[in-house]
Amino acid sequence: QLHEVFFDKLRLPILERTKPTDKHPDGQPSLTETVLMQMACKYAIAQAVVDLRKVETDMSRLLKGKDGHSGLLKHMDDDGYVYPNWKVHGTVTGRLSSSGFNVQGVNRPDEDETDEGFRELFIPDDGYVMIGADYKQLEMRILGRVAGSKALNDICSDPKLDIHKMIAAMM
């Protein structure tokens, strides 16, 4: 169907062809990811197909897992809920972790994006709220206070600064 839309109806240029076959001796016009990316620079419809394929891939990975059977669907109870097992001592660093379905691995938007990614798929029941907590380099904040480091405390108190870049620059 994409071939029909792209090449018959819209008459977009053919950038590559598939290998010849008995049915298509010259090969069919190709719509591989590489070709679509080249076309996306000039044609909005090609960009839309690239975007759609990425969402389909991401959604499949979320629902089915990278290996095809460890995703959200496997970990969803009969009631439609996902119950991760939270562990306070699950990592060497002492950070909070989860086992079962890794809810922490559901994509999170970059700070400059307005899109919430797939996290908006998780909807709390009436009377409950969904919270997200990010301690913003809690260890560095504690270290700055304990050490009495004005420079480290200044970095931690400015939300526009990237603490890792600033510390690397200081080093």
Side-chain angles (χ1 to χ4, degrees), residues 25-141:
D26 294 332
Q28 282 192 294
S30 175
L31 285 174
T32 63
E33 184 178 358
T34 304
V35 170
L36 282 169
M37 292 298 289
Q38 291 172 341
M39 295 176 89
C41 296
K42 290 178 97 174
Y43 306 102
I45 191 168
Q47 183 62 55
V49 171
V50 168
D51 294 344
L52 176 65
R53 286 183 176 175
K54 176 162 183 3
V55 169
E56 286 176 335
T57 299
D58 290 347
M59 183 64 97
S60 177
R61 190 170 292 137
L62 172 70
L63 295 175
K64 297 178 184 174
K66 289 181 182 178
D67 58 4
H69 58 79
S70 64
L72 179 65
L73 295 177
K74 179 181 180 196
H75 296 283
M76 189 178 293
D77 277 7
D78 292 337
D79 61 5
Y81 288 86
V82 176
Y83 299 97
N85 297 313
W86 294 102
K87 298 179 178 183
V88 177
H89 302 292
T91 66
V92 175
T93 61
R95 293 183 174 145
L96 190 64
S97 67
S98 65
S99 63
F101 181 72
N102 181 12
V103 293
Q104 294 169 300
V106 176
N107 31 334
R108 146 173 90 188
D110 292 332
E111 290 189 17
D112 59 342
E113 291 181 32
T114 56
D115 178 59
E116 289 296 318
F118 290 116
R119 288 189 178 195
E120 3 180 83
L121 296 175
F122 297 87
I123 302 168
D125 284 339
D126 290 339
Y128 291 87
V129 295
M130 182 78 68
I131 64 167
D134 186 349
Y135 291 108
K136 300 285 185 195
Q137 298 85 27
L138 181 61
E139 298 92 346
M140 290 296 173
R141 293 170 182 271

Side-chain angles (χ1 to χ4, degrees), residues 137-149 152-153 156 167:
Q137 298 85 27
L138 181 61
E139 298 92 346
M140 290 296 173
R141 293 170 182 271
I142 292 170
L143 181 62
R145 296 274 190 246
V146 170
S149 169
L152 191 53
N153 288 327
C156 291
I167 291 173

